[in-house]
Amino acid sequence: MSVPLPTNPDIVIVGAGSSGLSAAKKLEELGTSYLVIEASDHIGGRAYTKSDIFGQPVDHGCSWISGSDDNIFSDLGRKNNFTLVDHSNPKIEMFERDGAKSTQANINEYNKSESKIKEILRDTGRQGIDIPASKVIPNVPYNECFQNWEGALNYAVDINQISTAEYWHLKDTQPSFIVKEGLGNLVATLNNNFPIALNTNVFEIDLSGKGVKVVTSKGSIVAKACICTVSVGVLKSEKIKFTPKLCNKVQRAIDDIQMGLLVKIPLLFDGIRLGFAENSFVQYDIAKENIGSECYFLAWPTGHDYVVGFIGGQFAWDLSKLGEEEIVEYALSKLEILSGDKIRKHFLKGFATDWASNPFTKGSYSAVKPGCFGAREVLSEPIAEKLIFAGEATAGNIAGLVNGAYESGKLAATRITNIVKPKIKSP
Ligand SMILES: Cc1cc2nc3c(=O)[nH]c(=O)nc-3n(C[C@H](O)[C@H](O)[C@H](O)COP(=O)(O)OP(=O)(O)OC[C@H]3O[C@@H](n4cnc5c(N)ncnc54)[C@H](O)[C@@H]3O)c2cc1C
């Protein structure tokens, strides 16, 4: 699949994730020549399905097609005969603080609290108030459980790092699908024999001369313009040098967008179902001091024989430093509290996704810092008529999502083509 570096394409696309592949697709349609450069050995980036560990497909990155009635991947999935499983109203397997299984009345109470808190958060943002979400959480039953889900496990940052303005701005993620064969595998179908140079690391994007010089581990390429789709985690790490330096406004936008961390901990069992329904969320009520540091689960997604534990935010960054074995043991011990020690007998193997240490992502997905709403828009503007950032962090009200990445790549390809190949006006 990997191709040698050509000389002088119109556009260099850095990154072959959802955004880079969609930019390539759009440039094909527009007849603009391009090359995609990808540092890792595979396409898809954070959309990544692997089957070799469990013998069943597991999405290491994205797995939900969110807002599925207006999401390119719903159509693409149907077209390519993927199995899309509706996950809009999943069953909740809930436990109380004393370990007892919650009654339906408790679950109804949780749902009521969730709706109320969401309404307050959105209302705050709608009024133009951009403060940490934690500041407006009412003291309703199960609010701690909600904060754990919505902060660490949904936004991938702790609840005090979520901007109320962004919370209001982002589109609803329901209805949704999960993909039996893997969303990463579905995203990979975007690649229609595109010219992609794999295992090729970009070190520098130099705008100082005519066009753009992209310096890579396999040599330099000169193009008219560059679409850079790497994550904000990578941009923050300064592994790619920009010449001249990015202006203060753009650099500030990068500083104002955090790279969150969500770690998945898939645990394979021997076919036992532990009393949890397929595709259900397993969660438990927690004390205030544990918000952000609890592991909730998705049970037997689309009928596979594994549950997926989730940890996120600062707790996930900290736990990741201890290594995969510790993380798997932590998740197992949490599941054991809910299901009893029989789980050990039926447990086959588990692993933790490596988004914390992955040098090509440096985290999972982005979240705007409280008080910094507007940073995504700044980051998505073309620079010097020859560089444009794309990717999930630039995706407006569908930021953080794989379809947001797709739409941002498509838009960047159109905008940059309009700049480098303006239509000749007829006299
Ligand atoms: C654990 C997890 C769960 C998620 N869950 C969901 C979900 O359920 N639904 C959803 O919609 N989204 C979800 N997401 C988010 C979604 O996966 C991302 O928003 C999307 O895949 C990002 O695509 P992208 O093209 O912007 O970036 P990427 O996929 O990161 O693509 C950028 C590419 O650039 C490459 N690169 C980096 N540095 C260099 C360099 N120096 N030189 C060359 N190439 C480089 C990378 O290897 C990568 O392939 C999740 C993400 C994670 C990590």
Side-chain angles (χ1 to χ4, degrees):
M1 187 202 289
S2 199
V3 298
L5 302 186
T7 44
N8 306 333
D10 286 331
I11 312 286
V12 169
I13 300 170
V14 182
S18 171
S19 172
L21 293 172
S22 135
K25 180 169 178 288
K26 189 69 201 172
L27 293 179
E28 290 272 343
E29 284 162 23
L30 294 169
T32 308
S33 67
Y34 67 91
L35 171 72
V36 185
I37 299 183
E38 169 55 52
S40 75
D41 60 1
H42 60 269
I43 63 164
R46 286 170 275 168
Y48 187 44
T49 310
K50 270 182 84 112
S51 301
D52 54 344
I53 305 176
F54 284 178
Q56 308 181 10
V58 182
D59 274 314
H60 289 219
C62 55
S63 45
W64 279 274
I65 297 182
S66 299
S68 53
D69 50 9
D70 183 23
N71 185 318
I72 170 73
F73 293 107
S74 302
D75 293 341
L76 198 69
R78 287 187 199 103
K79 201 174 115 206
N80 288 293
N81 295 319
F82 278 72
T83 315
L84 306 182
V85 176
D86 185 22
H87 205 236
S88 310
N89 289 301
K91 183 165 193 279
I92 296 177
E93 308 275 8
M94 178 107 179
F95 292 82
E96 298 300 304
R97 287 190 199 179
D98 62 4
K101 196 104 192 260
S102 305
T103 61
Q104 190 53 48
N106 296 137
I107 296 172
N108 294 346
E109 187 72 18
Y110 168 79
N111 287 335
K112 219 170 91 189
S113 291
E114 182 184 293
S115 304
K116 182 164 184 189
I117 302 171
K118 283 186 170 176
E119 198 184 302
I120 291 172
L121 286 172
R122 290 206 184 101
D123 208 46
T124 308
R126 192 180 298 118
Q127 291 172 49
I129 303 170
D130 189 5
I131 55 174
S134 52
K135 295 232 181 246
V136 290
I137 304 283
N139 191 16
V140 291
Y142 301 107
N143 77 78
E144 297 88 354
C145 179
F146 170 87
Q147 292 186 64
N148 195 68
W149 257 127
E150 200 71 340
L153 308 186
N154 191 10
Y155 277 68
V157 293
D158 294 316
I159 193 85
N160 60 2
Q161 298 300 319
I162 297 177
S163 139
T164 47
E166 166 130 301
Y167 195 90
W168 158 72
H169 184 64
L170 289 180
K171 248 176 105 172
D172 207 337
T173 52
Q174 296 304 341
S176 66
F177 290 125
I178 32 184
V179 184
K180 193 173 180 73
E181 298 81 3
L183 182 49
N185 281 338
L186 172 53
V187 171
T189 66
L190 287 171
N191 179 21
N192 189 10
N193 283 319
F194 298 150
I196 302 174
L198 294 175
N199 300 304
T200 309
N201 211 332
V202 170
F203 299 133
E204 185 179 1
I205 298 176
D206 181 351
L207 311 178
S208 62
K210 193 162 181 277
V212 180
K213 187 166 90 172
V214 179
V215 182
T216 82
S217 50
K218 296 196 178 152
S220 298
I221 313 159
V222 175
K224 288 185 182 145
C226 173
I227 299 174
C228 181
T229 73
V230 302
S231 71
V232 281
V234 171
L235 291 178
K236 280 174 187 292
S237 74
E238 299 185 359
K239 292 265 182 235
I240 300 180
K241 180 180 172 197
F242 290 91
T243 307
K245 273 175 120 173
L246 296 170
C247 71
N248 289 343
K249 196 174 166 195
V250 175
Q251 191 53 55
R252 197 172 323 117
I254 294 170
D255 296 342
D256 288 348
I257 305 174
Q258 314 158 80
M259 193 61 182
L261 181 63
L262 178 71
V263 173
K264 289 183 172 180
I265 313 157
L267 306 170
L268 182 68
F269 288 86
D270 60 5
I272 195 175
R273 286 297 187 247
L274 304 173
F276 303 141
E278 283 180 9
N279 304 315
S280 60
F281 280 130
V282 183
Q283 61 196 66
Y284 43 93
D285 196 22
I286 54 172
K288 199 176 169 64
E289 58 272 22
N290 294 334
I291 295 170
S293 60
E294 290 295 344
C295 178
Y296 293 163
F297 300 89
L298 171 65
W300 328 119
T302 72
H304 294 311
D305 294 325
Y306 56 84
V307 298
V308 185
F310 297 92
I311 54 171
Q314 191 53 49
F315 178 72
W317 288 108
D318 294 343
L319 203 60
S320 290
K321 288 191 195 126
L322 301 181
E324 187 171 32
E325 230 173 274
E326 290 277 345
I327 300 177
V328 171
E329 179 49 39
Y330 163 79
L332 264 181
S333 65
K334 289 288 169 183
L335 198 60
E336 192 174 10
I337 294 169
L338 308 178
S339 282
D341 58 8
K342 67 176 177 299
I343 68 157
R344 301 269 174 185
K345 209 169 76 198
H346 297 280
F347 173 65
L348 299 179
K349 56 179 156 177
F351 67 94
T353 56
D354 69 348
W355 302 110
S357 57
N358 188 322
F360 306 133
T361 62
K362 297 216 160 254
S364 296
Y365 44 92
S366 64
V368 166
K369 287 182 186 165
C372 300
F373 184 67
R376 295 189 190 281
E377 218 178 308
V378 172
L379 192 61
S380 63
E381 281 305 310
I383 296 169
E385 304 214 312
K386 46 187 173 179
L387 170 65
I388 189 162
F389 289 110
E392 57 87 6
T394 66
N397 67 352
I398 41 176
L401 299 173
V402 67
N403 55 310
Y406 178 95
E407 298 301 338
S408 78
K410 184 172 150 188
L411 182 65
T414 308
R415 290 177 88 179
I416 211 78
T417 295
N418 284 341
I419 294 172
V420 299
K421 288 171 57 177
K423 286 205 183 81
I424 297 157
K425 287 202 181 92
S426 40

